[in-house]
Amino acid sequence: VAGYRVAVAGATGLVGRAIVRVLEQRDFPVRDLVLLASPRSAGARISFRGEASEVKTLGANSFRGCEIAFFSAGATVSREFAPVAAASGCVVIDNSSAFRMEADVPLVVPEVNADVLPHELGRGIIANPNCSTIQMVVALRPLHRAFGLQRVVVSTYQSVSGTGARGTRALDAELELSERDEQSPYPHRIAFNALPHIDTFDAEGWSGEERKMIGETRKIMRLPALQVLPTAVRVPVRVGHSESVYASFGRPVSVEAARVALRAAPGVVVVDRPQNAEYPLALDAEGRDEVFVGRVRQDPDDPMAILFWVVADNLRKGAATNAVQIAEVVASWHRSSNATAVSSL
Ligand SMILES: NC(=O)c1ccc[n+]([C@@H]2O[C@H](COP(=O)([O-])OP(=O)(O)OC[C@H]3O[C@@H](n4cnc5c(N)ncnc54)[C@H](OP(=O)(O)O)[C@@H]3O)[C@@H](O)[C@H]2O)c1
């Protein structure tokens, strides 16, 4: 039978379930689907193309015969099992932060840098970037090409599903309670609140999420000296991250020229008629694969700077869709070559 044997490690999580849905919706050539999670979920069933498949416990032998493995079970699991899967001949597409900044692991957003594949596929592991970074670079890439990006100041408004199932459970529980949910992954109430705290803080006061946005944006855009100044904030939204971006360039930029560049860009939808109350919204982005951009404004004091608002579904383009798009690049490259790096495909 044509197609690939595909493993999903973390299949019962928010991202894992989204990967299974996206594989189905994009009609990725799956011959067999291997669903993996911790022993807690062994025996659970997840539907794929109308059939319920059983979830198995992830172990060292789980990847035998697989050609592609998606990982979305956290960095600890990826660090232990992604090299095992790669050694057994899989191309690993990893959603965790485990390998993103390693020099010999490509960090890929297909609309921006698909060209790094496959010649940088040394270890057989491809990293999927952080969700906040993915949607920002999809919007920045066409603007950089047109105007020469120099500096980005960004504030994020990130949904609780970005923390996984524990985040959505905490929001749901707190909407019923007038106090913090004891099982919450957040240090304060998330309902009716905004927390400028995502991941742990370093000695300089930057959060892990902010550090990821800085390092990953520079790596994906191949701009190692780019100034990136993020403030990452968790808000009580279920799905969809929003970002307020201030970008300055080496060449003059206008609102109309920016909109033209954005409209022509792959994966971007411009929604920008604020007088009609039309701008990107998290609720509208949910379930969609595109990155939505609006509220484009000129810095009145700087002809080389604009501001805009960018929204995407963090579980889709921020994770699952981007990962499946990477698999599509790998598959199309494989179809057109006999290169040795993925000879088992
Ligand atoms: N949520 C997002 O927007 C987003 C975006 C980009 C990247 N990511 C990354 O994707 C990963 C998963 O995120 P998520 O939001 O889907 O989290 P989640 O909803 O909490 O799901 C976690 C998944 O990992 C599995 N798992 C946990 N420990 C395991 C172990 N020891 N062995 C095997 N499986 C294990 C869980 O299985 P059980 O059901 O058995 O517990 C579950 O399937 C994380 O690395 C996260 O950083 C998330």
Side-chain angles (χ1 to χ4, degrees):
V1 191
Y4 303 105
R5 184 170 164 89
V6 175
V8 181
T12 52
L14 295 185
V15 172
R17 288 177 189 275
I19 289 171
V20 173
R21 253 188 330 271
V22 172
L23 286 169
E24 186 175 283
Q25 289 168 351
R26 294 178 75 98
D27 211 12
F28 189 79
V30 177
R31 185 180 78 240
D32 288 315
L33 191 61
V34 180
L35 302 173
L36 304 165
S38 82
R40 290 182 292 272
S41 298
R45 289 183 167 268
I46 291 176
S47 147
F48 179 65
R49 294 187 187 146
E51 278 179 38
S53 301
E54 192 178 320
V55 177
K56 304 269 169 48
T57 298
L58 172 63
N61 296 326
S62 299
F63 303 97
R64 281 210 190 123
C66 290
E67 288 119 354
I68 295 175
F70 295 97
F71 273 72
S72 63
T76 310
V77 171
S78 290
R79 267 187 215 104
E80 182 174 356
F81 289 103
V84 174
S88 72
C90 280
V91 172
V92 172
I93 300 169
D94 182 35
N95 274 286
S96 83
S97 57
F99 304 102
R100 288 179 190 151
M101 295 312 295
E102 296 197 7
D104 54 356
V105 172
L107 182 66
V108 178
V109 176
E111 290 87 343
V112 180
N113 66 340
D115 56 309
V116 301
L117 296 172
H119 54 274
E120 288 184 16
L121 198 52
R123 285 162 66 181
I125 300 174
I126 303 165
N128 209 43
N130 169 274
C131 40
S132 316
T133 307
I134 292 177
Q135 66 182 65
M136 185 170 81
V137 298
V138 168
L140 287 175
R141 153 83 172 179
L143 299 171
H144 171 56
R145 287 185 71 174
F147 314 110
L149 187 62
Q150 290 195 335
R151 187 165 190 254
V152 185
V153 182
V154 53
S155 295
T156 71
Y157 304 67
Q158 298 182 225
S159 71
V160 293
S161 60
T163 318
R166 293 177 313 144
T168 52
R169 275 199 298 269
L171 176 58
D172 289 343
E174 289 179 11
L175 289 174
E176 305 281 324
L177 300 167
S178 55
E179 56 189 42
R180 181 176 167 270
D181 170 35
E182 281 178 8
Q183 312 294 319
S184 172
Y186 309 116
H188 304 281
R189 275 174 78 186
I190 184 62
F192 313 110
N193 216 349
L195 310 180
H197 180 174
I198 301 186
D199 209 333
T200 52
F201 290 105
D202 65 20
E204 283 78 44
W206 292 94
S207 72
E209 185 81 356
E210 291 157 356
R211 288 285 187 202
K212 287 175 197 167
M213 290 186 78
I214 297 167
E216 294 181 25
T217 301
R218 289 174 176 165
K219 179 170 174 176
I220 298 161
M221 297 193 73
R222 287 173 275 216
L223 294 172
L226 181 68
Q227 282 186 280
V228 184
L229 298 156
T231 301
V233 181
R234 186 76 65 194
V235 294
V237 167
R238 242 187 221 98
V239 175
H241 291 355
S242 305
E243 297 174 350
S244 158
V245 179
Y246 177 90
S248 56
F249 301 90
R251 297 191 282 280
V253 56
S254 70
V255 168
E256 205 35 53
R259 286 201 192 114
V260 167
L262 287 162
R263 277 196 204 102
V268 176
V269 176
V270 175
V271 184
D272 200 8
R273 291 169 62 198
Q275 290 80 3
N276 298 1
E278 291 174 20
Y279 29 70
L281 291 173
L283 283 177
D284 296 339
E286 186 171 352
R288 299 283 300 267
D289 291 323
E290 306 94 327
V291 170
F292 299 86
V293 183
R295 299 292 325 278
V296 183
R297 282 152 293 152
Q298 183 91 50
D299 178 341
D301 298 313
D302 186 349
M304 304 211 273
I306 55 169
L307 301 89
F308 58 90
W309 179 247
V310 52
V311 179
D313 182 330
N314 52 292
L315 299 173
R316 303 262 318 189
K317 184 57 189 167
T321 303
N322 198 72
V324 174
Q325 285 176 305
I326 291 172
E328 289 168 352
V329 175
V330 171
S332 74
W333 171 75
H334 170 247
R335 277 195 298 276
S336 62
S337 82
N338 298 311
T340 50
V342 287
S343 57
S344 61
L345 272 178

